[in-house]
Amino acid sequence: MDDLFANGATPSLNNAAGDDTASDSELRRVKELIQTLLKTKRAFEMYPSNNPILLKFQEDILKKFEVFFEESDRLILIIRQHDILYKGQAVYHSTDKDDNLARMFFKDGLRELSFTSGFSGDEVLDFIDVMRVRPETSTESFDDDVVTRLWEKDFLHLTYYVIEEFAEGTALEEDEVSRILSRHQTTDGDLAEVYQDASTEEPGEGEDGQQIFSPLESISMGFKGVFSLGEEEVKSLKEEMERLTDENFLLGAINALFESLYIDRGTPDFGILMDNLDSALGYLVRNGVFGTASLILDRFRGLMSLKQVFSPAELERINASVRKAADESAMRSIADVLNSGKDVPSSEFQRFLNLLDRSSLVPLSNLLGEIQDIKYRKSLIEVLVSLGRDNIDALAAGVRDKRDYVVKNVVTILGRIGDKAALEHLKQTLKHPEISVRREVVRALGMIGGPKAGDTLLHALEDQDPQIRMSALRYLPNAQSYAVLDGLLETINRPDFSDRALAEKRAFFEVLSEIGQDKVLPLMTKLLKKSGFFSSASKDELRACAAYGLGNIHKMEALEALKKELGGAKKGSVLAEAISYSIHKLSRPAVRAGTE
C-alpha cells in the first residue's frame, strides 16, 4: 500500500522524444510555433473576444501547426520550469515569473504535451482558451489550473502527462507542494478572490468621527496629560520634536510611554498612556509602517505575561489593545494601505500578523477577500493557517457565514491546515449552493487526504458541475484506500455513464487503475478487447478509456495487452490514440524499470 500511494505514480519524465536529433529547420519550425502560440495567448488576454485583430492571430497559429504537421506527425514538448524542450533541445526559455509559458505549465504539474497530426481548428482554439489568463476572472480563485481546464476540453489530438496532484492559483514550488502534502505548514501563491471594496473613512477622522492626530501630536498631548507639562515645557518639547525625524521621535516616544506604564500602574495615568499607544499603533497601521507597529504589539504581548506586576484590570486593558489591532476598523485600514499601491515590505506585514491573537481569526478571514496583491494574501494565508491549527472549530465556524467569499476563504485555510478534524465541516459545505465554494471544498478534501476524505469525495462525483466531478477524481488517489474502488465501479456501471464526456470517462478509468493496479488489471484488459456492458455506439470510447487506464498500471502485462490491440485499431481513431499514448507512457525507461 505504501508503494502504491507514494507521491505520484511515476518519476519525472525522461526525454520522451527518444534519441532522435532535430534538424535546424525542424527546431526553427517548433520555435516559431511556440512564439506564435505565446503571441496569440497574449492577444487573447489583451483584446475582447469579438475584436477583429484576434482573427489574424488565429490564422497565424493554425498555419504554424499545419506547416509543422506537413513534415511530422507528432509534436512532443517536454516541460521544465524555465524551458520547453523538443527532442532534447530547448525551443523556449524564460526566467520571468509572470509571463513565462514554461512555468505556467510546470507549476500545475504538466511535464509533457503531445500533439498529433489533426490538431487544428477548434482544438487549437480550445488550447489557447486553456492557456490564456482571463483578466476578468484571474483573481477569482485557485481552482482554474491548467490541468483542470485541459480535462474539461475533449481533445482528440492532444495528450499530456502530469506528475503533481495539486496546483495553486499562484506558482508553488515543488518543495512547497511537498510540505502541503506532508501536512506541514504551507505556503500558497495563489489565493482568494477580491470580493468587496474596503470602506474608507473621511480624511482626518476615525470610525466614530473622532479626530485622528499624528503620532507626534497624539503622544505630545499624552505626555502633557501624564506629566502635567507647562506651556513653556510643551513649547520646548515641540521645538525639539521638529529637529527630529518623525520616525526617530516616534520610536523614542513609544519606548518612553512603555517605561511610564511601569511607573504609573495603579493610577489614572495608566489609561492615558495606553490611549496614546493605541493612537500611535493606529497611525502606523494606517500608513503601512508594520515594522514599528509590530514593536508595539510585541511589547503589549510581553506585558500581558507580567501578572505579578499589573493588576487584572490593567492586563485586560492591554489585551483590549491587542484585540483592537485586528478589529473591523483596523482591517479596513490594512486593506486600504495594501491596496493603495504603497510598497509595504511583506516581511514586516507578516510579522505584524503573527503577533495578533486567536480573536483575529474571523476578521483576518474577511480581510482575505479584500486584499488585491498576491504577496500580501500569501502572508495572510500563512498566518491564518498558524492561528487556525489549534482552533479548527473556531475557524470552521466561518463555513456557515452567509457571505460566499468568507466561506470559500475558510475552506481554503482548512485544506492547508490538513487536519482531519475539519472533515465533518467540509462535508456539510460540499452542498453549498455556490459552485466556487464546492470546488474549493473538493480541493481541501484532496489536500487533507485519507479514507474518510475519500468517502466524502465520492459524494462529489454526483455534483452537477463537471469540473467539480473532475477535481474530485483527481484527488481520490490521496484517499489511500481500496474502498473507493467500489464507488468508482458503481458509477461506471450505471446506464447513464456512457453519456458523459469522453474526458470525464477517461478520468474515471485512469483513477480506477491508479488506485486499483493489479486488482483492476483483468477488468481493463477485458474491456480493451471487447465492448463489454455498453451499447455498440460507445464501444470505441469505452475501449479507449480502458487503454488509458492500462497506461496507469505499471505492469508488463498491461503493456503487452496494449501492444496486442494496437494493430487492430483504426489509424487516427480515438482508440488508436489512446493505445499509442499508453504504450508510449509505459515504454519510458523509468516506468519499465518498475514493472515486473
Side-chain angles (χ1 to χ4, degrees):
M1 284 290 290
D2 290 337
D3 293 337
L4 176 60
F5 297 103
N7 194 23
T10 60
S12 59
L13 286 173
N14 295 312
N15 180 11
D19 297 326
D20 294 343
T21 302
S23 64
D24 291 341
S25 61
E26 188 177 10
L27 284 175
R28 186 174 60 255
R29 289 199 306 273
V30 178
K31 289 179 179 179
E32 290 175 354
L33 188 152
I34 291 178
Q35 288 302 317
T36 304
L37 192 63
L38 185 58
K39 291 177 183 178
T40 306
K41 171 184 177 292
R42 291 170 180 165
F44 273 78
E45 291 169 354
M46 292 173 59
Y47 299 102
S49 57
N50 59 353
N51 194 305
I53 198 171
L54 295 182
L55 294 176
K56 175 65 167 59
F57 284 96
Q58 293 178 25
E59 294 171 359
D60 288 346
I61 189 60
L62 288 170
K63 183 64 176 177
K64 293 297 182 183
F65 273 105
E66 290 174 4
V67 169
F68 179 86
F69 287 128
E70 285 175 0
E71 303 290 334
S72 305
D73 60 357
R74 185 181 292 272
L75 171 62
I76 300 176
L77 301 176
I78 304 300
I79 310 299
R80 297 291 181 261
Q81 187 169 8
H82 302 296
D83 302 273
I84 297 178
L85 309 180
Y86 174 73
K87 292 189 176 180
Q89 301 187 58
V91 289
Y92 174 87
H93 174 78
S94 175
T95 57
D96 192 294
K97 281 195 173 183
D98 296 321
D99 191 12
N100 186 332
L101 191 61
R103 193 170 187 268
M104 182 188 73
F105 293 134
F106 187 89
K107 70 181 178 62
D108 287 338
L110 279 170
R111 295 298 181 267
E112 177 184 290
L113 288 168
S114 180
F115 305 86
T116 55
S117 180
F119 183 77
S120 60
D122 290 340
E123 283 194 294
V124 175
L125 298 181
D126 281 346
F127 185 65
I128 294 171
D129 188 61
V130 165
M131 290 194 307
R132 71 189 181 104
V133 177
R134 302 166 176 81
E136 69 275 13
T137 61
S138 61
T139 61
E140 278 190 357
S141 64
F142 322 116
D143 46 42
D144 289 330
D145 56 84
V146 172
V147 174
T148 299
R149 297 201 297 267
L150 281 171
W151 257 343
E152 286 187 284
K153 305 294 183 181
D154 192 10
F155 289 111
L156 295 179
H157 302 91
L158 166 62
T159 54
Y160 49 92
Y161 180 68
V162 184
I163 66 168
E164 292 292 348
E165 286 295 331
F166 300 102
E168 298 306 334
T170 57
L172 293 181
E173 300 300 335
E174 290 184 342
D175 60 334
E176 293 177 308
V177 176
S178 298
R179 287 200 300 274
I180 291 175
L181 298 181
S182 301
R183 313 294 180 264
H184 293 311
Q185 205 163 7
T186 63
T187 57
D188 186 3
D190 228 350
L191 285 181
E193 307 154 313
V194 179
Y195 295 91
Q196 297 177 347
D197 294 326
S199 301
T200 57
E201 299 168 356
E202 290 299 321
E205 291 189 350
E207 182 181 14
D208 56 1
Q210 295 180 343
Q211 185 70 28
I212 296 175
F213 298 97
S214 76
L216 298 183
E217 296 169 323
S218 175
I219 292 174
S220 65
M221 289 189 293
F223 280 137
K224 181 177 179 180
V226 174
F227 300 111
S228 301
L229 301 178
E231 291 183 4
E232 290 299 321
E233 292 172 301
V234 172
K235 180 180 179 181
S236 175
L237 178 59
K238 287 185 176 179
E239 290 174 354
E240 181 67 21
M241 289 163 53
E242 291 173 358
R243 290 194 292 268
L244 299 170
T245 64
D246 195 55
E247 181 178 0
N248 288 338
F249 174 79
L250 185 57
L251 287 172
I254 288 171
N255 287 330
L257 286 172
F258 273 107
E259 290 172 4
S260 299
L261 286 176
Y262 290 91
I263 299 172
D264 294 301
R265 63 187 187 276
T267 73
D269 290 340
F270 182 91
I272 298 175
L273 290 166
M274 288 299 303
D275 289 343
N276 279 275
L277 285 168
D278 286 347
S279 177
L281 181 58
Y283 172 87
L284 292 167
V285 169
R286 289 191 299 276
N287 287 274
V289 189
F290 291 104
T292 308
S294 297
L295 294 177
I296 296 179
L297 276 181
D298 194 31
R299 296 285 292 272
F300 279 159
R301 296 183 74 88
L303 294 179
M304 290 168 59
S305 65
L306 302 177
K307 297 182 180 180
Q308 302 300 321
V309 177
F310 297 101
S311 69
E314 289 169 340
L315 291 173
E316 176 55 32
R317 176 64 182 83
I318 297 170
N319 191 30
S321 292
V322 176
R323 293 196 302 269
K324 186 176 180 180
D327 65 12
E328 184 179 350
S329 176
M331 293 300 106
R332 286 202 301 269
S333 296
I334 291 173
D336 286 344
V337 71
L338 295 182
N339 292 337
S340 68
K342 183 176 181 178
D343 186 16
V344 176
S346 57
S347 59
E348 293 184 2
F349 178 57
Q350 176 86 48
R351 185 187 174 198
F352 174 81
L353 294 176
N354 283 331
L355 290 167
L356 299 176
D357 66 6
R358 296 178 179 181
S359 66
S360 64
L361 266 176
V362 174
L364 289 178
S365 297
N366 293 337
L367 182 62
L368 189 61
E370 305 287 343
I371 298 178
Q372 299 170 5
D373 195 315
I374 184 63
K375 66 180 179 182
Y376 301 131
R377 292 206 303 269
K378 180 178 178 180
S379 297
L380 192 53
I381 287 291
E382 291 176 349
V383 171
L384 284 168
V385 168
S386 178
L387 289 174
R389 196 175 299 280
D390 298 322
N391 300 274
I392 296 296
D393 289 338
L395 177 63
V399 302
R400 294 183 289 277
D401 197 284
K402 294 181 180 180
R403 295 165 293 180
D404 295 341
Y405 74 92
V406 173
V407 178
K408 184 175 179 181
N409 292 337
V410 171
V411 168
T412 299
I413 304 303
L414 291 173
R416 280 151 182 76
I417 291 175
D419 194 324
K420 290 179 173 55
L423 289 176
E424 190 60 35
H425 300 287
L426 293 173
K427 183 177 181 180
Q428 297 172 7
T429 317
L430 193 58
K431 298 179 181 179
H432 197 279
E434 176 59 39
I435 290 178
S436 63
V437 172
R438 300 202 304 275
R439 290 178 183 174
E440 197 59 38
V441 172
V442 168
R443 182 183 298 276
L445 290 167
M447 298 180 79
I448 293 174
K452 289 185 178 179
D455 291 342
T456 305
L457 283 170
L458 286 175
H459 292 292
L461 298 180
E462 306 300 323
D463 198 281
Q464 294 181 349
D465 182 70
Q467 187 178 2
I468 291 178
R469 298 197 299 268
M470 296 287 275
S471 295
L473 284 168
R474 291 177 58 200
Y475 294 124
L476 271 176
N478 292 330
Q480 301 186 6
S481 170
Y482 286 125
V484 300
L485 294 178
D486 292 337
L488 291 172
L489 287 170
E490 180 184 348
T491 302
I492 289 173
N493 277 285
R494 292 179 184 174
D496 61 348
F497 180 75
S498 60
D499 298 331
R500 303 193 185 200
L502 175 60
E504 185 174 351
K505 289 187 287 189
R506 169 183 172 177
F508 263 91
F509 277 81
E510 288 181 326
V511 171
L512 184 67
S513 298
E514 182 177 349
I515 297 173
Q517 295 291 309
D518 287 343
K519 289 180 175 291
V520 298
L521 177 59
L523 172 64
M524 293 295 168
T525 304
K526 178 181 179 181
L527 293 179
L528 177 64
K529 293 179 180 179
K530 58 184 180 179
S531 61
F533 35 75
F534 290 107
S535 64
S536 58
S538 58
K539 179 179 64 176
D540 276 359
E541 285 194 358
L542 171 66
R543 297 180 67 196
C545 290
Y548 283 122
L550 285 169
N552 276 354
I553 300 177
H554 311 295
K555 298 290 181 181
M556 189 59 68
E557 295 94 322
L559 182 60
E560 292 174 352
L562 289 164
K563 289 181 177 179
K564 188 177 298 184
E565 296 298 321
L566 181 61
K570 183 179 179 182
K571 187 176 180 180
S573 66
V574 172
L575 178 59
E577 288 293 328
I579 294 176
S580 298
Y581 172 81
S582 292
I583 289 176
H584 168 72
K585 184 176 179 181
L586 293 176
S587 297
R588 288 190 295 271
V591 176
R592 289 201 304 271
T595 58
E596 296 178 357

